[in-house]
Amino acid sequence: DGGITQSPKYLFRKEGQNVTLSCEQNLNHDAMYWYRQDPGQGLRLIYYSQIVNDFQKGDIAEGYSVSREKKESFPLTVTSAQKNPTAFYLCASSIWGQREPQHFGDGTRLSIL
Amino acid sequence: DAKTTQPPSMDCAEGRAANLPCNHSTISGNEYVYWYRQIHSQGPQYIIHGLKNNETNEMASLIITEDRKSSTLILPHATLRDTAVYYCIVRGHGSSNTGKLIFGQGTTLQVKP
């Protein structure tokens, strides 16, 4: 079945440590997105990518980095510069520039040890 | 992107139709209405979207008023598994859009036996 796979489902980070969240899609979508969701809040855009080897900052990019070396993959690194990383991270993909909807993975929950 | 207003919570009896309203009075001509839902600790699930005509799929129906200032999502026969937070999102398409979805607080639908 086509879809978006995020891993791991749960992740713990120590102080000063960088961690990488995986996002893979087999929907052949050009665009991919990373959102952050805090308890009781809506989603906030971290980074997005329209095509391979290109990505743009969203509303809250500080302390995060991404890469887009393959169409299928859009990993997110939460760096030690992100001082409040505890959140639910969601990856999505879509056909860019069209009215087609974004489809989401099941998320990664990141906590601080 | 236009702002949406939804009631914070609604109840529905199992087997009955659930009608979830959304106001988007500042919607512009090229903006679509999207509905997603999110079950606790999962990623948002796309339900349906439309521009001005009513839409129906296997999950739900979307009724958009003629002036497009409001819409209603209809789940025709609600089940306990439909208990979730439902988000109404208005989004435009074009080169100036990042493509991000702006999730508000949504409506928490509780389906009761």
Side-chain angles (χ1 to χ4, degrees), chain B residues 90-103:
Chain B
V90 171
R91 177 186 157 202
H93 294 272
S95 59
S96 63
N97 298 103
T98 65
K100 72 179 177 183
L101 297 174
I102 301 174
F103 285 71

Side-chain angles (χ1 to χ4, degrees), chain A:
Chain A
D1 288 335
I4 300 174
T5 302
Q6 289 188 242
S7 62
K9 190 170 179 64
Y10 299 96
L11 187 58
F12 297 91
R13 195 191 88 169
K14 295 179 181 178
E15 292 290 337
Q17 185 181 45
N18 294 351
V19 292
T20 298
L21 285 60
S22 171
C23 178
E24 303 277 333
Q25 55 99 359
N26 60 4
L27 299 168
N28 199 34
H29 285 164
D30 293 308
M32 297 187 74
Y33 309 82
W34 275 105
Y35 292 89
R36 167 181 171 143
Q37 186 174 34
D38 293 284
Q41 304 295 316
L43 278 65
R44 291 184 290 169
L45 183 67
I46 305 173
Y47 268 97
Y48 66 100
S49 169
Q50 299 177 37
I51 56 172
V52 175
N53 293 322
D54 183 61
F55 48 84
Q56 305 295 329
K57 293 182 179 180
D59 299 321
I60 54 165
E62 185 175 353
Y64 300 97
S65 66
V66 294
S67 63
R68 186 85 187 276
E69 297 176 0
K70 298 187 299 182
K71 187 175 185 178
E72 304 80 19
S73 178
F74 192 40
L76 174 74
T77 297
V78 184
T79 75
S80 57
Q82 173 47 247
K83 297 307 179 187
N84 184 24
T86 298
F88 190 44
Y89 290 87
L90 289 157
C91 178
S93 72
S94 73
I95 300 171
W96 176 256
Q98 304 293 323
R99 64 184 177 93
E100 297 304 313
Q102 292 179 21
H103 296 273
F104 286 82
D106 278 336
T108 293
R109 192 167 298 279
L110 176 62
S111 302
I112 298 299
L113 286 176

